[in-house]
Amino acid sequence: MGKQTNIRLDDDVRAAAEDRAKRRGLSLQGYVADLIEADVNQSRAAFMAGAASFLAAYTDEFDAELGEDRYPGLPDKPAETAPKDAA
């Protein structure tokens, strides 16, 4: 079970959010939680894709500096998209 978080919304925003939640068959709490989770997961996936691209782009420099493959199994080229379950 997660921790409770309180937020303040002005009346118009709250009414619009309640309407959207209702159309999705969710409580306001569930709607807000889904929005936050989607934002966090999107940011995490973007970060992981960027990190993988960076590592792949500098593989030769890392190998020259470290002298060995410390991360066997890392793809030779950057992933087109981050895996759905990234981090």
Side-chain angles (χ1 to χ4, degrees), residues 7-28:
I7 59 171
R8 293 189 188 278
L9 302 171
D10 61 36
D11 292 337
D12 293 337
V13 171
R14 181 183 172 99
E18 286 175 336
D19 182 54
R20 289 183 183 207
K22 184 177 180 180
R23 284 188 270 152
R24 289 176 170 84
L26 297 169
S27 65
L28 179 58

Side-chain angles (χ1 to χ4, degrees), residues 47-82:
F47 172 80
M48 293 303 292
S53 178
F54 172 81
L55 289 173
Y58 290 94
T59 297
D60 293 339
E61 288 80 358
F62 293 144
D63 286 346
E65 181 71 24
L66 301 173
E68 64 183 75
D69 184 3
R70 294 185 182 218
Y71 302 100
L74 184 67
D76 291 337
K77 53 185 178 171
E80 294 298 320
T81 59

Side-chain angles (χ1 to χ4, degrees), residues 41-53 82 87:
N41 288 337
Q42 181 180 12
S43 296
R44 182 180 295 134
F47 172 80
M48 293 303 292
S53 178

